[in-house]
Amino acid sequence: MTIQEKLLKHLRNIPDFPKPGIQFKDITPVLNNPELFRETMDELAAKAGVLNPTRIAAIESRGFIFGSILADRLGLGFVPIRKPGKLPYKTYRAEYLLEYGTDGIEMHIDAVGKEDRVLLVDDVLATGGTISAAVDLVRQAGAEIAGILFLVELSFLGGRSKVGSIPCVSLISL
Ligand code: AMP
């Protein structure tokens, strides 16, 4: 079985969560399967390596799970991108529209610099609002985007169009 087939088998669809009409893709069965979790990280690390990043930045909270392991695997620094008010130091801020609401995200102003090629990581690409705000944050800091990695892409929502020509890789596309 390919990694894509295994991921499809272990992704759990939760209808109407957290709001009516949303088909929530629950990745926790992947995390709870040690072989598949490791194989998923192997695959993400292989895809990340060729993009030559200097830092890994991930979006709270599920992005942290994959992003921090990836940073450790590649021997790179990890940068948390968080919901407003969570980071203790001075931050850049960007607003975004979620599939189920609106919000903002923040990143410490000294987390990445002009010399960096930042790889962004999250679990699911839906409308693309969150990831385009994360791209905005990294650019506010003057850094380059090396690429973007997702476990799952909900291609029917067209989120990929929001990131333009940035290399954008997802392990599975639904
Ligand atoms: P978006 O900004 O619409 O691309 O939404 C992406 C963010 O919201 C990611 O951080 C996802 O974890 C979460 N998300 C949005 N839609 C879903 C969904 N259907 N299933 C799971 N997570 C989702």
Side-chain angles (χ1 to χ4, degrees):
M1 213 189 284
T2 65
I3 176 80
Q4 283 76 19
E5 287 166 336
K6 288 182 202 169
L7 283 171
L8 278 173
K9 204 164 154 251
H10 286 83
L11 263 188
R12 182 162 54 188
N13 191 67
I14 314 281
D16 300 320
F17 181 88
K19 283 187 177 175
I22 303 294
Q23 301 287 326
F24 193 87
K25 306 302 170 197
D26 177 18
I27 51 110
T28 62
V30 176
L31 305 178
N32 206 4
N33 180 315
E35 295 83 20
L36 180 56
F37 192 14
R38 176 162 294 165
E39 217 179 310
T40 301
M41 290 314 309
D42 289 344
E43 194 74 9
L44 288 173
K47 305 239 183 259
V50 298
L51 295 167
N52 286 315
T54 61
R55 285 183 206 279
I56 308 292
I59 302 160
E60 94 170 90
S61 56
R62 290 181 298 276
F64 286 3
I65 299 166
F66 303 101
S68 58
I69 296 174
L70 205 52
D72 182 58
R73 289 265 191 118
L74 299 182
L76 300 174
F78 175 78
V79 175
I81 293 177
R82 301 207 61 185
K83 299 283 164 60
K86 300 282 187 188
L87 289 169
Y89 186 57
K90 290 178 214 157
T91 57
Y92 292 118
R93 185 191 167 95
E95 303 288 335
Y96 67 101
L97 208 63
L98 196 67
E99 193 185 359
Y100 41 81
T102 58
D103 217 336
I105 48 173
E106 298 179 342
M107 181 182 76
H108 277 154
I109 58 164
D110 59 352
V112 304
K114 292 184 176 24
E115 69 288 357
D116 280 313
R117 285 175 51 78
V118 178
L119 178 69
L120 288 164
V121 184
D122 205 358
D123 63 335
V124 175
L125 171 64
T127 64
T130 313
I131 201 66
S132 54
V135 166
D136 179 9
L137 281 179
V138 170
R139 288 185 172 152
Q140 285 182 52
E144 198 185 325
I145 313 280
I148 309 174
L149 276 186
F150 296 99
L151 239 69
V152 185
E153 173 177 357
L154 305 180
S155 56
F156 58 93
L157 292 172
R160 185 176 277 267
S161 66
K162 296 235 178 75
V163 301
S165 59
I166 298 170
C168 180
V169 180
S170 49
L171 298 190
I172 53 172
S173 183
L174 303 175

